[in-house]
Amino acid sequence: MSAVLVTGIALLGAPAGWAAVPVGRSLVPGHPGDAPRRSTLALAGVVVFGGLAATRGTDPALPALLLVAAVGLVLGVTDVTALRLPDPLVGVVALGGGLGLIAATAATGEPRRLAVAVGGAALSFVGYALLALLPRARLGFGDVKLAAALGLPLGWLGWPALRLGLFLPHVLAGVAVLVLLAAGRVRRDTPVPFGPALLGGAWLAAVLT
């Protein structure tokens, strides 16, 4: 959710003409002051890490969740400012999260949870890949890969967390777009980053289930 808030703040502060910027280009070129400020990111970090620590403090997978959250904040800002989810960062989420979950499996002796995590990643990939292939779909394959990477920790947390993590991004993205449309910051054909909604939905699913 905090990632979605960062998105909203950044887009609401962007110049009115940014909607014409094509995918892959900065949304706020030449206006570094329009990017999320350090204080905003610091607050988002406190909310994200504090929420995970408060709700998952006894879970052996907490280090993996915190790593995913830390890289996720960077990915959220990158997607807002450049409409990109760089593969190396998504790879860190997948590899770092996966290694952390392997360590958690060794600590708990519950290989079933790791199997569910892998199944969650596969299900997330297939589901979002199908959505991305739909006509007029606004999902990119960067979003698909990020969804798969987030499916690992969500699967570890269980099927309820995975279901919620797959559903909530669409709700968050819809609300964010409606707010931005009402504020006159975007048009109906404006490319809006979906990565922050994926990250925010995964975080909410982790702290609510």
Side-chain angles (χ1 to χ4, degrees):
M1 185 178 210
S2 55
V4 176
L5 291 176
V6 170
T7 303
I9 291 169
L11 295 185
L12 286 170
W18 77 269
V21 178
V23 173
R25 299 284 299 278
S26 172
L27 300 184
V28 286
H31 293 270
D34 288 327
R37 298 188 179 187
R38 290 183 180 179
S39 59
T40 302
L41 295 178
L43 177 60
V46 169
V47 172
V48 170
F49 301 139
L52 289 174
T55 58
R56 297 291 174 179
T58 60
D59 195 313
L62 180 61
L65 298 176
L66 293 175
L67 172 63
V68 170
V71 182
L73 286 173
V74 178
L75 276 168
V77 173
T78 303
D79 204 13
V80 167
T81 56
L83 280 178
R84 291 184 64 243
L85 292 167
D87 284 344
L89 288 177
V90 176
V92 171
V93 172
L95 181 60
L99 292 175
L101 294 179
I102 290 173
T105 300
T108 61
E110 295 183 271
R112 183 191 67 82
R113 293 187 72 177
L114 186 60
V116 176
V118 174
L123 180 61
S124 299
F125 178 81
V126 172
Y128 274 89
L130 291 175
L131 289 176
L133 292 173
L134 291 175
R136 297 187 178 183
R138 296 198 175 193
L139 285 177
F141 271 87
D143 300 313
V144 174
K145 288 179 278 190
L146 178 58
L150 294 174
L152 271 173
L154 289 175
W156 167 273
L157 296 176
W159 292 114
L162 180 63
R163 287 194 297 268
L164 197 58
L166 291 174
F167 170 71
L168 280 178
H170 302 283
V171 176
L172 296 176
V175 171
V177 169
L178 288 175
V179 170
L180 293 168
L181 282 170
R185 306 312 302 174
V186 300
R187 299 191 300 263
R188 292 184 180 275
D189 59 347
T190 299
V192 176
F194 190 69
L198 280 170
L199 294 159
W203 179 79
L204 278 175
V207 300
L208 293 177
T209 57

